[in-house]
Amino acid sequence: MSVDLRSKDELRAEKRKNRTGIFLITPGLLVLALFFALPVVILLAMSLYSKPPGAEVGEFVPGLQFSNYATVLSAYWPELLRSFWFALISTVLALLIGFPMAYLVAVRLREKTLLQGILLVLLIAPFFSSFILRTQAWKQILADEGFVAQTLKFIAILPADGHLTATPFAVVAGLTYNFLPFMVLPIYANLGRLDTRLLEASGDLYASPITSFAKITLPMSAPGVFAGTLLTFIPAAGDYVNSALLGNNRDTTMIGQVIDSRFFKIIDYPGAAALSFVLMVSILILVTIYIRRFGTEELM
Amino acid sequence: MSHSQRRLPQDPQVRALVQAMGQRSFSRRSVLSTAGALGLTGLLAACGTGGSKDTKTEAVVTDLSESDQSVNWANWTLYLDYDDKKKTYPTLDAFTKKTGIKVNYAEDIDGNDSYYGKVQGQLKAGQDIGQDIVTLTDWMAGRLIRQGYAQELNLDNIPNAANLLPSLQNVDFDPGRKHSLTWQTGYAGIAWNKKAFPKGLKSLDDLWDPALKGRVTVLDEMRDTMGLLMLQNGVDVAGKWGESEFGAATDVLRKNIDNGQIRQVKGNSYKQDFISGDAIAGIVWSGDVVQMNFENDDQWEFILPEAGGTLWSDNLMVPVASPHKTNAEKLMDFYYDPAVAAEVAAYVNYICPVVGAKEEMEKIDPELVNNPLIFPTDQDLAKAHVFRSLEPDEESTLATQFQNAIGA
């Protein structure tokens, strides 16, 4: 039998504290309700609307037309799969490129504060210019008459009539580049707290640098890697700027582009809503599996 | 009009609220419930939902033109004479000087569909979209007029409207030209880089030359790209045709996308590909070629293909709930003055729809008088066709087919 031993005053104080908590959390909840929950509900409702026969373009009536989902899924499953595939490749590439960068800045240059500061600014610098502009720059870099394509043609890696823009390669490269800072920064933040004395200790105990890395650095940086992969994968899967600017019309179309064209070109709001909802749910499922499998406690 | 009368806000929702508050039975609850109901309708309207044709909003808007000497105009990019040095639009300044009306000019429109997607919810709810003039292409202008989203123009305020080219005075999307006036007109045709492809193009089929593999762009504007493809197949795009003729042309398009002949399907941004050299030839808009040539020493040549090209126009319209309709009409009148029209044409290089502008052009730039892309020849006009209007159902089906063919 348990008896609450706290006095009435204590209980009252406890209650007041709870009330303060609720009071403080209310604005946040309201913002979320208004700008996230409500739009999602509207999106879901919209995805079930139907088009009455002979209706004007853009005119739909409320309904429960679940076949909207079947229609868009059967038509656009390749684009959906391709989005996740491209996002996965660019996440892995961003990790392979970003981890050494973060490691260099956060651990190796820890003593040299000036250099560390400069490199950190360079890492964040791309954020100072527009996303679209940076993607356009890639178009110029990879252009047929540009240096990269000409060089690759010269050393015969690229066939004479080949090109780099308007290819899956360009889209994945653009995605990787554009989301790289989202990978580097969380890993950097994490490695910045890495206690290098542990590495010294493992060295003293005759661990090779590789073993030290695998047993200490990598596990310690796992929360950063985890956050970085999520921050890269999720926006990359829904991105449409890279595929629109750097892709072609054959084998690079991503789901964001399809949603854009259903919404703005075909004026099929229910179809666009259904696809958006499918995208949201599939990302949610993938991320849940990922968290279950690899998740660290810090993020749960 | 009594001056004591309080002026009501233009936005119907706000107006309803203010009216509700002015009533005697005013209570906090009633205002809140009005606000709630309005908020909800607003939300649904913003989603572009429901409502059958008979619920169309007939907005009763007071024209504030007298008291508020301003007008807001949404147009496409690079579509009005611009002084690079002074960073001003000379003709707009002249208009303000003449009438005292200030113009807020915005290059807001980068696609008919995307602009429609943006403002459709507000138009449906009968709200002011913040623009008193919008500039949209024939078929989209037709859609707005059909849906009752464009106000009828008061031609008494636009005496110069009589200067409209006779061939444009009666159009199927706006019988009698009651709701719209042509801004500029142009062709969609084919162009190529003279240095990279000296052979040149004559017909649309020449775009499928193996030498151009991967260096061809076509427009993402369905009526232009499909129009040219259908013309090449011998279809009269202005006349009667159906899904099978359209389907045959999408097959050609799809084939040339799949085999890599067509590099990309693009909107306005195709110009960058021409300039960077990624594209050597393609389906393009006439005025763009003139502008590109002007800025990059005359590298490209534009023609209407042998089988013909498409002719389109962009039209000035006053959207519902615009509070400056009279000012908008005065602005239209100003730009239908042949001297002003010639000044605009000298900059934008599209076909000028104003009679008498050719004579005025003699004074500005005699060289441009003989430019067939601004003042077209009869032979050219005979080769240019207007894509016929589509029924709403047809529009959705064909747009879906086209979008699928271009992989989106």
Side-chain angles (χ1 to χ4, degrees):
Chain A
M1 195 171 112
S2 72
V3 180
D4 201 331
L5 295 175
R6 287 175 294 180
S7 72
K8 265 188 181 166
D9 276 348
E10 277 175 327
L11 280 173
R12 211 171 287 145
E14 177 89 348
K15 242 185 191 167
R16 201 178 311 131
K17 223 193 243 167
N18 282 344
R19 261 204 303 262
T20 320
I22 291 171
F23 180 71
L24 285 174
I25 209 173
T26 311
L29 281 181
L30 276 177
V31 167
L32 263 186
L34 197 62
F35 295 110
F36 178 69
L38 189 64
V40 169
V41 171
I42 293 175
L43 185 74
L44 187 61
M46 189 78 230
S47 71
L48 298 172
Y49 274 38
S50 63
K51 187 177 183 133
E56 250 310 334
V57 177
E59 189 182 324
F60 299 95
V61 291
L64 284 175
Q65 193 163 313
F66 288 98
S67 61
N68 287 344
Y69 281 86
T71 317
V72 292
L73 271 181
S74 64
Y76 299 111
W77 64 268
E79 282 81 7
L80 195 64
L81 284 186
R82 183 183 296 135
S83 302
F84 291 127
W85 177 231
F86 280 7
L88 181 69
I89 305 176
S90 47
T91 307
V92 171
L93 286 176
L95 180 62
L96 292 178
I97 300 168
F99 194 99
M101 282 163 83
Y103 185 80
L104 177 78
V105 180
V107 182
R108 280 301 166 88
L109 297 177
R110 203 173 278 179
E111 310 301 319
K112 303 182 177 95
T113 18
L114 180 67
L115 192 58
Q116 190 185 31
I118 292 172
L119 283 178
L120 202 59
V121 168
L122 283 181
L123 280 182
I124 309 171
F127 278 134
F128 296 148
S129 68
S130 129
F131 182 67
I132 307 278
L133 219 61
R134 280 182 278 140
T135 313
Q136 285 285 1
W138 269 93
K139 269 192 66 174
Q140 297 301 319
I141 295 168
L142 300 176
D144 285 15
E145 312 296 332
F147 171 73
V148 180
Q150 293 293 341
T151 313
L152 288 179
K153 278 178 190 170
F154 184 70
I155 55 176
I157 287 182
L158 196 69
D161 65 341
H163 45 76
L164 292 173
T165 55
T167 59
F169 166 78
V171 176
V172 172
L175 284 172
T176 310
Y177 164 74
N178 274 314
F179 294 110
L180 188 62
F182 294 96
M183 179 68 85
V184 178
L185 291 177
I187 301 180
Y188 164 80
N190 212 272
L191 285 175
R193 294 198 303 265
L194 180 74
D195 189 346
T196 43
R197 287 174 304 178
L198 293 172
L199 296 174
E200 274 170 40
S202 76
D204 290 347
L205 296 168
Y206 296 105
S208 69
I210 295 173
T211 317
S212 298
F213 178 78
K215 298 244 161 156
I216 299 169
T217 314
L218 202 56
M220 299 282 281
S221 66
V225 172
F226 189 77
T229 45
L230 284 182
L231 285 178
T232 311
F233 182 82
I234 296 173
D239 182 77
Y240 71 100
V241 171
N242 285 285
S243 60
L245 291 180
L246 299 169
N248 56 35
N249 301 85
R250 190 167 16 119
D251 54 3
T252 63
T253 310
M254 290 172 70
I255 198 70
Q257 244 181 309
V258 175
I259 295 172
D260 176 72
S261 107
R262 301 269 351 154
F263 193 97
F264 284 118
K265 298 285 163 82
I266 303 176
I267 320 283
D268 170 19
Y269 300 141
L275 274 175
S276 307
F277 205 71
V278 167
L279 177 67
M280 209 161 75
V281 170
S282 20
I283 290 182
L284 203 64
I285 293 174
L286 287 174
V287 167
T288 313
I289 296 173
Y290 183 64
I291 292 178
R292 281 278 161 83
R293 179 74 184 75
F294 301 104
T296 52
E297 278 173 5
E298 277 102 308
L299 278 159
M300 293 298 275
Chain B
M1 209 207 301
S2 83
H3 283 276
S4 62
Q5 193 186 345
R6 192 160 47 138
R7 197 191 298 140
L8 288 170
Q10 288 301 300
D11 186 297
Q13 294 191 8
V14 181
R15 194 166 56 219
L17 255 182
V18 172
Q19 276 164 346
M21 288 172 80
Q23 278 162 13
R24 257 189 221 151
S25 58
F26 164 71
S27 75
R28 198 162 59 115
R29 185 181 293 266
S30 74
V31 171
L32 284 177
S33 67
T34 321
L38 286 168
L40 203 62
T41 23
L43 260 179
L44 286 174
C47 299
T49 57
S52 53
K53 275 173 191 159
D54 46 45
T55 60
K56 236 179 248 168
T57 332
E58 279 302 323
V60 189
V61 180
T62 359
D63 195 330
L64 303 179
S65 291
E66 278 292 310
S67 53
D68 184 2
Q69 293 279 310
S70 73
V71 60
N72 305 310
W73 180 7
N75 206 347
W76 300 67
T77 50
L78 299 178
Y79 219 19
L80 184 66
D81 54 314
Y82 183 69
D83 188 332
D84 261 330
K85 279 184 204 117
K86 290 190 194 142
K87 311 275 173 216
T88 53
Y89 298 96
T91 49
L92 281 187
D93 290 346
F95 173 71
T96 308
K97 213 170 165 192
K98 188 179 162 198
T99 59
I101 298 168
K102 194 177 159 295
V103 187
N104 301 309
Y105 183 75
E107 295 188 335
D108 265 3
I109 306 178
D110 64 359
N112 286 298
D113 295 300
S114 52
Y115 193 73
Y116 181 78
K118 262 185 235 163
V119 298
Q120 183 251 11
Q122 283 166 292
L123 289 175
K124 182 157 217 142
Q127 293 171 359
D128 177 14
I129 60 166
Q131 299 296 351
D132 307 304
I133 301 182
V134 293
T135 318
L136 295 167
T137 310
D138 299 331
W139 55 277
M140 185 55 83
R143 189 191 287 174
L144 258 63
I145 292 166
R146 212 166 58 215
Q147 296 181 333
Y149 296 164
Q151 296 194 44
E152 196 169 323
L153 299 174
N154 178 4
L155 289 176
D156 293 342
N157 290 332
I158 322 176
N160 282 337
N163 293 338
L164 180 63
L165 280 180
S167 59
L168 292 168
Q169 272 168 6
N170 215 346
V171 284
D172 68 344
F173 66 84
D174 183 15
R177 278 282 178 195
K178 288 192 179 125
H179 304 84
S180 67
L181 271 179
T182 313
W183 171 240
Q184 302 290 316
T185 286
Y187 305 117
I190 48 180
W192 67 93
N193 185 318
K194 288 184 278 190
K195 214 166 80 193
F197 192 66
K199 198 158 75 168
L201 305 166
K202 283 202 171 64
S203 78
L204 197 73
D205 280 348
D206 294 341
L207 285 176
W208 320 138
D209 185 326
L212 291 173
K213 188 171 177 338
R215 311 298 283 271
V216 176
T217 68
V218 302
L219 297 170
D220 68 359
E221 189 75 46
M222 174 177 93
R223 284 160 180 81
D224 291 326
T225 292
M226 293 309 291
L228 259 65
L229 284 161
M230 285 161 74
L231 283 164
Q232 177 67 31
N233 285 348
V235 179
D236 173 15
V237 289
K240 272 204 168 132
W241 52 264
E243 269 185 53
S244 63
E245 284 88 353
F246 191 88
T250 36
D251 288 343
V252 178
L253 179 63
R254 197 187 299 263
K255 191 183 111 202
N256 285 293
I257 288 174
D258 286 348
N259 66 18
Q261 183 76 21
I262 294 175
R263 185 196 194 94
Q264 268 167 320
V265 183
K266 293 199 142 187
N268 270 318
S269 56
Y270 76 89
K271 285 177 264 184
Q272 291 152 17
D273 289 31
F274 268 79
I275 293 166
S276 78
D278 281 5
I280 293 177
I283 299 180
V284 302
W285 287 306
S286 53
D288 288 344
V289 179
V290 184
Q291 276 182 13
M292 282 193 320
N293 274 336
F294 181 70
E295 285 157 16
N296 302 277
D297 25 85
D298 214 17
Q299 291 184 44
W300 298 276
E301 183 151 348
F302 173 91
I303 59 157
L304 288 171
E306 275 171 351
T310 51
L311 181 75
W312 47 263
S313 307
D314 288 328
N315 303 275
L316 305 171
M317 283 175 297
V318 181
V320 283
S322 146
H324 307 108
K325 183 166 172 267
T326 310
N327 290 349
E329 287 160 347
K330 283 183 188 162
L331 184 83
M332 293 182 188
D333 188 56
F334 178 75
Y335 277 100
Y336 264 74
D337 179 326
V340 180
E343 213 171 312
V344 174
Y347 176 87
V348 301
N349 295 305
Y350 278 108
I351 300 173
C352 180
V354 178
V355 175
K358 195 169 182 174
E359 289 69 32
E360 291 294 331
M361 189 64 100
E362 295 273 6
K363 299 175 201 159
I364 302 174
D365 188 347
E367 245 177 65
L368 291 179
V369 175
N370 295 317
N371 185 335
L373 295 180
I374 299 176
F375 301 106
T377 60
D378 289 344
Q379 294 105 296
D380 278 353
L381 280 179
K383 270 166 92 179
H385 308 269
V386 180
F387 202 89
R388 77 162 165 87
S389 296
L390 302 174
E391 299 296 318
D393 272 345
E394 210 181 11
E395 194 161 333
S396 308
T397 324
L398 300 186
T400 308
Q401 282 184 23
F402 177 67
Q403 292 297 325
N404 285 344
I406 66 172

